[in-house]
Amino acid sequence: MDYGLGDKTALIYGLGSTGMGAARGLRDAGVHVAVWDDKFAEGVDADMPFTVLKPDEIVWSRIGALIKSPGIAPTKALVQKALENKVPVLCDVDLLARRERGHDVSFIGIIGTNGKSTTTALVGHILRESGRKVAVGGHLGTPAMQLPELPTGGIYVMELSSFQLDMMRELRIDGGILLNLTPDHLERHGTMENYLNAKMRMFALAKPDAMRVMGTDQPILLAEAAKTGDFITIGVRNEAAITVRDGWIRDRGDKKIKLSDFPLLPGPHNAQNLACAYALLVPRFVTIQQFLKGAASFKGLPHRLEDISVIEGIRFVNDSKATNAESAVYALQSFQHVYWICGGQPKVDGLGDCVNHLENVRAAFTIGDAAGIFCNELQAHKVPTFRCDTLDKAVADAYATARTEGLEGAVVLLSPAAASWDQFRNFEHRGDVFVNLVRSLAESQGPRRRLYS
Ligand code: ADP
């Protein structure tokens, strides 16, 4: 298996986990591999297990492909040099497509601004539960090139980022979902149109009979779907082929999925994820019975509206992944009485659209660098808000307030609407600290607590 490179060298550009995965996969297949990362300009780690090729030493006629890491902008000089020298610039999913060429396997791609990881994991889970051989990865979890080789009939379910897509050339999917599109990464893509075009590459390259699913709540996607008529449209807020209405997912009006059967997938955004998964999978990949059975045993992903515990009737939910206002809005709409812990390293738009969705918020508890600004903003919107600064104080205060009010359906929700780097290593670390605080609280409350496993 030479990945179509013959005896030419694969030059890996960017050595994060994706680049390292690609380098290892190619080397193990016997391909010549060389690597470069801009950080090598300051010195190369002595343990680097691959040949390092400096940009000014590259003989382009010996390079079969430049494998670009997703984080590297296509405008970078080395990428442009490769293109000038007619060297194909590929991403790791293209290599996976080359590796699997001629094998009877399928590819599913899941893209969008929010909900990719959840939907990818959900689709993978339902397929696996229905007895299919599945590998799940890409932007989420295992990089594409480290996914195992699957037997005949196997399905690769991949979350793809717009950074992977903007130069993808060879992956031809059998099914794909574009969940939504809201302004994000515009520093890289420039305009919403460019951002959309990057996403649409996946469908442009798809097999002709591929399943094409698109969430059409945003006008830009509604217009895009209308252009070709090739998409099964999904509407949570609008009319569409598949809609979410009155607690049901309806297929052309017919009730198909009762949302209250899936309490671990709360909120309108998870209803959208479920509806997209349904449109993609039923009936092409699984039956409706298999779908419902599989979805019912899906526990969600950690740090995304993750149910942690119920203490004295108060539920604790970890949504540490909500690093921007957009995601937190969905969390705020997902529960009846919210004691909201928010804050961290603020994004440019502060609490953004969250201030238009405060009707379920009983009280807020602000932390991190944003503690002061968020506190002022929320108080200006008449939400009783307590500046706590630290997560441990916020958990204790939110719990005490919720207990005092004693409302049925009370939820202490960590959904920060801000990045985590001011006080934590990353959003996972922030979520783990929250979970541990809640567990200690549960222990301190004695045997009447109820903890989820
Ligand atoms: P991604 O991989 O695209 O970042 P995740 O599944 O990790 O998406 O979810 C990121 C955040 O977005 C979480 O806070 C989650 O609750 C929220 N979210 C999940 N699905 C959606 C959706 N369909 N639309 C908007 N927000 C969503």
Side-chain angles (χ1 to χ4, degrees):
M1 172 70 216
D2 66 1
Y3 286 83
L5 297 170
D7 59 1
K8 290 195 174 179
T9 297
L11 176 58
I12 314 292
Y13 182 24
L15 285 184
S17 59
T18 309
M20 284 303 266
R24 286 201 195 96
L26 289 167
R27 181 194 57 196
D28 295 349
V31 172
H32 299 292
V33 171
V35 298
W36 178 253
D37 190 302
D38 291 345
K39 70 173 186 262
F40 292 165
E42 287 138 38
V44 179
D45 187 346
D47 296 334
M48 176 49 57
F50 301 101
T51 307
V52 174
L53 199 51
K54 291 193 182 138
D56 54 4
E57 289 170 356
I58 297 170
V59 179
W60 286 102
S61 58
R62 296 208 196 120
I63 305 296
L66 180 81
I67 318 302
K68 181 184 85 63
S69 276
I72 294 173
T75 46
K76 282 271 185 182
L78 194 60
V79 178
Q80 292 303 316
K81 265 270 173 312
L83 293 172
E84 275 163 31
N85 285 281
K86 308 260 179 310
V87 169
V89 178
L90 305 177
C91 65
D92 65 330
V93 287
D94 291 320
L95 291 176
L96 176 68
R98 285 193 180 193
R99 188 185 87 186
E100 297 302 324
R101 200 165 284 160
H103 298 174
D104 184 11
V105 293
S106 308
F107 293 98
I108 287 174
I110 294 170
I111 60 180
T113 309
N114 284 310
K116 296 182 292 297
S117 301
T118 305
T119 309
T120 303
L122 174 67
V123 166
H125 177 81
I126 293 169
L127 287 168
R128 195 175 293 119
E129 291 296 300
S130 76
R132 309 296 290 264
K133 290 278 177 276
V134 181
V136 178
H139 186 241
L140 153 89
T142 313
M145 275 289 283
Q146 281 169 295
L147 292 173
E149 288 181 22
L150 293 176
T152 297
I155 306 179
Y156 291 92
V157 183
M158 286 190 293
E159 170 185 334
L160 302 174
S161 72
S162 52
F163 294 176
Q164 270 163 321
L165 290 163
D166 62 8
M167 296 208 85
M168 188 172 96
R169 322 167 25 129
E170 300 191 6
L171 180 74
R172 292 164 62 77
I173 55 161
D174 300 87
I177 300 174
L178 171 51
L179 288 160
N180 44 43
L181 199 75
T182 53
D184 201 1
H185 305 308
L186 291 187
E187 71 291 353
R188 161 98 165 244
H189 295 292
T191 63
M192 280 297 275
E193 279 65 34
N194 291 349
Y195 183 36
L196 174 62
N197 290 340
K199 301 264 182 221
M200 292 305 289
R201 282 184 70 77
M202 179 175 87
F203 293 112
L205 294 167
K207 292 184 185 156
D209 65 343
M211 296 298 300
R212 294 152 198 264
V213 177
M214 193 185 287
T216 46
D217 282 335
Q218 286 89 34
I220 187 170
L221 294 183
L222 193 60
E224 187 67 27
K227 269 192 210 161
T228 62
D230 286 348
F231 289 89
I232 303 179
T233 54
I234 312 294
V236 178
R237 296 180 207 141
N238 300 330
E239 268 316 307
I242 295 180
T243 53
V244 177
R245 216 178 330 122
D246 310 329
W248 285 86
I249 293 175
R250 293 164 191 260
D251 188 345
R252 284 89 178 168
D254 295 341
K255 291 178 178 171
K256 292 286 176 186
I257 300 171
K258 192 174 178 194
L259 292 171
S260 57
D261 290 344
F262 302 92
L264 294 182
L265 286 168
H269 59 306
N270 274 321
Q272 188 204 21
N273 301 338
L274 201 56
C276 287
Y278 163 81
L280 177 84
L281 294 175
V282 181
R284 173 82 162 261
F285 296 95
V286 298
T287 63
I288 179 75
Q289 290 77 13
Q290 287 171 322
F291 182 89
L292 294 173
K293 189 159 175 276
S297 60
F298 180 67
K299 300 246 169 353
L301 287 178
H303 312 295
R304 288 124 177 123
L305 292 186
E306 180 192 11
D307 243 309
I308 304 303
S309 173
V310 176
I311 308 173
E312 303 287 332
I314 295 154
R315 191 168 161 195
F316 287 77
V317 173
N318 167 23
D319 192 38
S320 178
K321 175 71 205 285
T323 54
N324 53 35
E326 178 78 23
S327 320
V329 164
Y330 284 98
L332 295 178
Q333 293 175 305
S334 302
F335 308 102
Q336 215 184 342
H337 301 300
V338 177
Y339 297 83
W340 183 25
I341 302 175
C342 60
Q345 187 174 309
K347 297 265 165 98
V348 274
D349 60 346
L351 278 170
D353 197 25
C354 291
V355 298
N356 302 316
H357 298 273
L358 297 171
E359 53 288 352
N360 299 343
V361 180
R362 300 285 314 172
F365 306 83
T366 61
I367 61 169
D369 287 354
I373 333 164
F374 282 13
C375 187
N376 294 341
E377 208 174 343
L378 288 165
Q379 281 173 345
H381 284 84
K382 311 257 178 305
V383 174
T385 305
F386 305 89
R387 180 175 171 161
C388 296
D389 292 308
T390 58
L391 190 51
D392 53 349
K393 179 154 174 31
V395 169
D397 289 3
Y399 176 61
T401 312
R403 274 196 80 180
T404 310
E405 296 204 340
L407 293 168
E408 200 170 320
V411 170
V412 171
L413 170 72
L414 170 69
S415 189
S420 56
W421 302 299
D422 54 342
Q423 293 179 311
F424 304 95
R425 286 195 295 282
N426 46 39
F427 75 83
E428 288 95 340
H429 178 215
R430 176 169 64 190
D432 291 343
V433 170
F434 177 70
V435 171
N436 286 333
L437 287 166
V438 175
R439 289 195 194 285
S440 315
L441 187 63
E443 273 153 29
S444 71
Q445 298 298 302
R448 280 166 65 208
R449 75 195 190 273
R450 180 151 69 80
L451 268 181
Y452 292 111
S453 57

PDB file of all heavy atoms in Angstrom, residues 100 103-106 132-135 148-156:
ATOM      1  N   GLU A 100      -8.412   3.037   2.045  1.00  0.00           N
ATOM      2  CA  GLU A 100      -9.573   2.146   1.951  1.00  0.00           C
ATOM      3  C   GLU A 100     -10.069   1.968   0.513  1.00  0.00           C
ATOM      4  O   GLU A 100     -11.087   1.303   0.304  1.00  0.00           O
ATOM      5  CB  GLU A 100     -10.701   2.683   2.831  1.00  0.00           C
ATOM      6  CG  GLU A 100     -10.355   2.719   4.312  1.00  0.00           C
ATOM      7  CD  GLU A 100      -9.965   1.351   4.859  1.00  0.00           C
ATOM      8  OE1 GLU A 100     -10.546   0.337   4.430  1.00  0.00           O
ATOM      9  OE2 GLU A 100      -9.038   1.301   5.697  1.00  0.00           O
ATOM     10  N   HIS A 103     -11.883  -1.180  -1.031  1.00  0.00           N
ATOM     11  CA  HIS A 103     -12.532  -1.981   0.020  1.00  0.00           C
ATOM     12  C   HIS A 103     -14.001  -1.604   0.083  1.00  0.00           C
ATOM     13  O   HIS A 103     -14.355  -0.451  -0.147  1.00  0.00           O
ATOM     14  CB  HIS A 103     -11.900  -1.717   1.398  1.00  0.00           C
ATOM     15  CG  HIS A 103     -10.455  -2.094   1.451  1.00  0.00           C
ATOM     16  ND1 HIS A 103      -9.656  -1.838   2.525  1.00  0.00           N
ATOM     17  CD2 HIS A 103      -9.662  -2.718   0.547  1.00  0.00           C
ATOM     18  CE1 HIS A 103      -8.443  -2.279   2.285  1.00  0.00           C
ATOM     19  NE2 HIS A 103      -8.420  -2.827   1.086  1.00  0.00           N
ATOM     20  N   ASP A 104     -14.832  -2.582   0.450  1.00  0.00           N
ATOM     21  CA  ASP A 104     -16.259  -2.330   0.500  1.00  0.00           C
ATOM     22  C   ASP A 104     -16.639  -1.765   1.874  1.00  0.00           C
ATOM     23  O   ASP A 104     -17.179  -2.465   2.725  1.00  0.00           O
ATOM     24  CB  ASP A 104     -17.003  -3.641   0.207  1.00  0.00           C
ATOM     25  CG  ASP A 104     -18.497  -3.430   0.147  1.00  0.00           C
ATOM     26  OD1 ASP A 104     -18.926  -2.264   0.124  1.00  0.00           O
ATOM     27  OD2 ASP A 104     -19.231  -4.440   0.151  1.00  0.00           O
ATOM     28  N   VAL A 105     -16.287  -0.507   2.098  1.00  0.00           N
ATOM     29  CA  VAL A 105     -16.629   0.150   3.366  1.00  0.00           C
ATOM     30  C   VAL A 105     -17.325   1.471   3.039  1.00  0.00           C
ATOM     31  O   VAL A 105     -17.217   1.967   1.913  1.00  0.00           O
ATOM     32  CB  VAL A 105     -15.378   0.438   4.237  1.00  0.00           C
ATOM     33  CG1 VAL A 105     -14.752  -0.848   4.721  1.00  0.00           C
ATOM     34  CG2 VAL A 105     -14.375   1.300   3.487  1.00  0.00           C
ATOM     35  N   SER A 106     -18.038   2.027   4.020  1.00  0.00           N
ATOM     36  CA  SER A 106     -18.740   3.297   3.783  1.00  0.00           C
ATOM     37  C   SER A 106     -18.167   4.388   4.682  1.00  0.00           C
ATOM     38  O   SER A 106     -17.580   4.103   5.726  1.00  0.00           O
ATOM     39  CB  SER A 106     -20.229   3.162   4.118  1.00  0.00           C
ATOM     40  OG  SER A 106     -20.785   2.072   3.465  1.00  0.00           O
ATOM     41  N   ARG A 132     -23.412  -3.276  13.203  1.00  0.00           N
ATOM     42  CA  ARG A 132     -22.453  -2.936  12.154  1.00  0.00           C
ATOM     43  C   ARG A 132     -21.056  -2.775  12.744  1.00  0.00           C
ATOM     44  O   ARG A 132     -20.902  -2.412  13.906  1.00  0.00           O
ATOM     45  CB  ARG A 132     -22.847  -1.613  11.467  1.00  0.00           C
ATOM     46  CG  ARG A 132     -24.266  -1.535  10.994  1.00  0.00           C
ATOM     47  CD  ARG A 132     -24.554  -2.543   9.902  1.00  0.00           C
ATOM     48  NE  ARG A 132     -23.882  -2.221   8.659  1.00  0.00           N
ATOM     49  CZ  ARG A 132     -24.452  -1.555   7.645  1.00  0.00           C
ATOM     50  NH1 ARG A 132     -25.700  -1.138   7.756  1.00  0.00           N
ATOM     51  NH2 ARG A 132     -23.787  -1.317   6.536  1.00  0.00           N
ATOM     52  N   LYS A 133     -20.053  -3.020  11.913  1.00  0.00           N
ATOM     53  CA  LYS A 133     -18.675  -2.756  12.338  1.00  0.00           C
ATOM     54  C   LYS A 133     -18.400  -1.282  12.070  1.00  0.00           C
ATOM     55  O   LYS A 133     -18.568  -0.803  10.940  1.00  0.00           O
ATOM     56  CB  LYS A 133     -17.689  -3.615  11.531  1.00  0.00           C
ATOM     57  CG  LYS A 133     -17.786  -5.076  11.898  1.00  0.00           C
ATOM     58  CD  LYS A 133     -16.974  -5.346  13.162  1.00  0.00           C
ATOM     59  CE  LYS A 133     -17.083  -6.768  13.638  1.00  0.00           C
ATOM     60  NZ  LYS A 133     -18.257  -7.065  14.475  1.00  0.00           N
ATOM     61  N   VAL A 134     -17.992  -0.573  13.101  1.00  0.00           N
ATOM     62  CA  VAL A 134     -17.918   0.886  13.002  1.00  0.00           C
ATOM     63  C   VAL A 134     -16.595   1.393  13.567  1.00  0.00           C
ATOM     64  O   VAL A 134     -16.086   0.842  14.544  1.00  0.00           O
ATOM     65  CB  VAL A 134     -19.062   1.513  13.842  1.00  0.00           C
ATOM     66  CG1 VAL A 134     -19.039   3.022  13.748  1.00  0.00           C
ATOM     67  CG2 VAL A 134     -20.405   0.999  13.394  1.00  0.00           C
ATOM     68  N   ALA A 135     -16.049   2.433  12.951  1.00  0.00           N
ATOM     69  CA  ALA A 135     -14.928   3.152  13.557  1.00  0.00           C
ATOM     70  C   ALA A 135     -15.322   4.622  13.605  1.00  0.00           C
ATOM     71  O   ALA A 135     -15.782   5.182  12.610  1.00  0.00           O
ATOM     72  CB  ALA A 135     -13.656   2.960  12.731  1.00  0.00           C
ATOM     73  N   PRO A 148      -8.964   1.974  12.778  1.00  0.00           N
ATOM     74  CA  PRO A 148      -8.607   0.623  12.334  1.00  0.00           C
ATOM     75  C   PRO A 148      -9.156   0.310  10.946  1.00  0.00           C
ATOM     76  O   PRO A 148     -10.111   0.947  10.498  1.00  0.00           O
ATOM     77  CB  PRO A 148      -9.293  -0.265  13.379  1.00  0.00           C
ATOM     78  CG  PRO A 148     -10.411   0.569  13.914  1.00  0.00           C
ATOM     79  CD  PRO A 148      -9.937   1.985  13.864  1.00  0.00           C
ATOM     80  N   GLU A 149      -8.542  -0.680  10.294  1.00  0.00           N
ATOM     81  CA  GLU A 149      -9.114  -1.140   9.023  1.00  0.00           C
ATOM     82  C   GLU A 149     -10.357  -1.952   9.350  1.00  0.00           C
ATOM     83  O   GLU A 149     -10.329  -2.818  10.217  1.00  0.00           O
ATOM     84  CB  GLU A 149      -8.096  -1.988   8.275  1.00  0.00           C
ATOM     85  CG  GLU A 149      -6.993  -1.115   7.725  1.00  0.00           C
ATOM     86  CD  GLU A 149      -5.944  -1.880   6.945  1.00  0.00           C
ATOM     87  OE1 GLU A 149      -6.239  -2.991   6.461  1.00  0.00           O
ATOM     88  OE2 GLU A 149      -4.826  -1.352   6.846  1.00  0.00           O
ATOM     89  N   LEU A 150     -11.444  -1.670   8.649  1.00  0.00           N
ATOM     90  CA  LEU A 150     -12.705  -2.358   8.931  1.00  0.00           C
ATOM     91  C   LEU A 150     -12.954  -3.460   7.916  1.00  0.00           C
ATOM     92  O   LEU A 150     -12.545  -3.344   6.758  1.00  0.00           O
ATOM     93  CB  LEU A 150     -13.868  -1.354   8.876  1.00  0.00           C
ATOM     94  CG  LEU A 150     -13.890  -0.291   9.976  1.00  0.00           C
ATOM     95  CD1 LEU A 150     -15.041   0.687   9.739  1.00  0.00           C
ATOM     96  CD2 LEU A 150     -14.015  -0.926  11.350  1.00  0.00           C
ATOM     97  N   PRO A 151     -13.672  -4.508   8.345  1.00  0.00           N
ATOM     98  CA  PRO A 151     -14.011  -5.567   7.383  1.00  0.00           C
ATOM     99  C   PRO A 151     -15.069  -5.073   6.391  1.00  0.00           C
ATOM    100  O   PRO A 151     -15.652  -4.000   6.586  1.00  0.00           O
ATOM    101  CB  PRO A 151     -14.580  -6.671   8.272  1.00  0.00           C
ATOM    102  CG  PRO A 151     -15.051  -5.982   9.503  1.00  0.00           C
ATOM    103  CD  PRO A 151     -14.180  -4.779   9.688  1.00  0.00           C
ATOM    104  N   THR A 152     -15.348  -5.900   5.378  1.00  0.00           N
ATOM    105  CA  THR A 152     -16.381  -5.587   4.387  1.00  0.00           C
ATOM    106  C   THR A 152     -17.679  -5.167   5.078  1.00  0.00           C
ATOM    107  O   THR A 152     -18.097  -5.798   6.046  1.00  0.00           O
ATOM    108  CB  THR A 152     -16.629  -6.842   3.524  1.00  0.00           C
ATOM    109  OG1 THR A 152     -15.407  -7.091   2.847  1.00  0.00           O
ATOM    110  CG2 THR A 152     -17.743  -6.643   2.522  1.00  0.00           C
ATOM    111  N   GLY A 153     -18.283  -4.113   4.580  1.00  0.00           N
ATOM    112  CA  GLY A 153     -19.538  -3.636   5.170  1.00  0.00           C
ATOM    113  C   GLY A 153     -19.321  -2.660   6.312  1.00  0.00           C
ATOM    114  O   GLY A 153     -20.284  -2.108   6.844  1.00  0.00           O
ATOM    115  N   GLY A 154     -18.082  -2.435   6.722  1.00  0.00           N
ATOM    116  CA  GLY A 154     -17.778  -1.535   7.843  1.00  0.00           C
ATOM    117  C   GLY A 154     -18.098  -0.079   7.496  1.00  0.00           C
ATOM    118  O   GLY A 154     -18.182   0.294   6.324  1.00  0.00           O
ATOM    119  N   ILE A 155     -18.297   0.715   8.537  1.00  0.00           N
ATOM    120  CA  ILE A 155     -18.661   2.121   8.322  1.00  0.00           C
ATOM    121  C   ILE A 155     -17.750   3.025   9.161  1.00  0.00           C
ATOM    122  O   ILE A 155     -17.641   2.843  10.375  1.00  0.00           O
ATOM    123  CB  ILE A 155     -20.136   2.385   8.731  1.00  0.00           C
ATOM    124  CG1 ILE A 155     -21.073   1.415   8.002  1.00  0.00           C
ATOM    125  CG2 ILE A 155     -20.524   3.830   8.420  1.00  0.00           C
ATOM    126  CD1 ILE A 155     -22.539   1.578   8.352  1.00  0.00           C
ATOM    127  N   TYR A 156     -17.109   3.969   8.497  1.00  0.00           N
ATOM    128  CA  TYR A 156     -16.333   4.992   9.193  1.00  0.00           C
ATOM    129  C   TYR A 156     -17.245   6.178   9.445  1.00  0.00           C
ATOM    130  O   TYR A 156     -17.824   6.723   8.506  1.00  0.00           O
ATOM    131  CB  TYR A 156     -15.138   5.444   8.345  1.00  0.00           C
ATOM    132  CG  TYR A 156     -14.087   4.371   8.214  1.00  0.00           C
ATOM    133  CD1 TYR A 156     -14.099   3.482   7.142  1.00  0.00           C
ATOM    134  CD2 TYR A 156     -13.093   4.234   9.174  1.00  0.00           C
ATOM    135  CE1 TYR A 156     -13.148   2.480   7.033  1.00  0.00           C
ATOM    136  CE2 TYR A 156     -12.130   3.231   9.078  1.00  0.00           C
ATOM    137  CZ  TYR A 156     -12.168   2.361   8.006  1.00  0.00           C
ATOM    138  OH  TYR A 156     -11.226   1.372   7.908  1.00  0.00           O
TER     139      TYR A 156
END
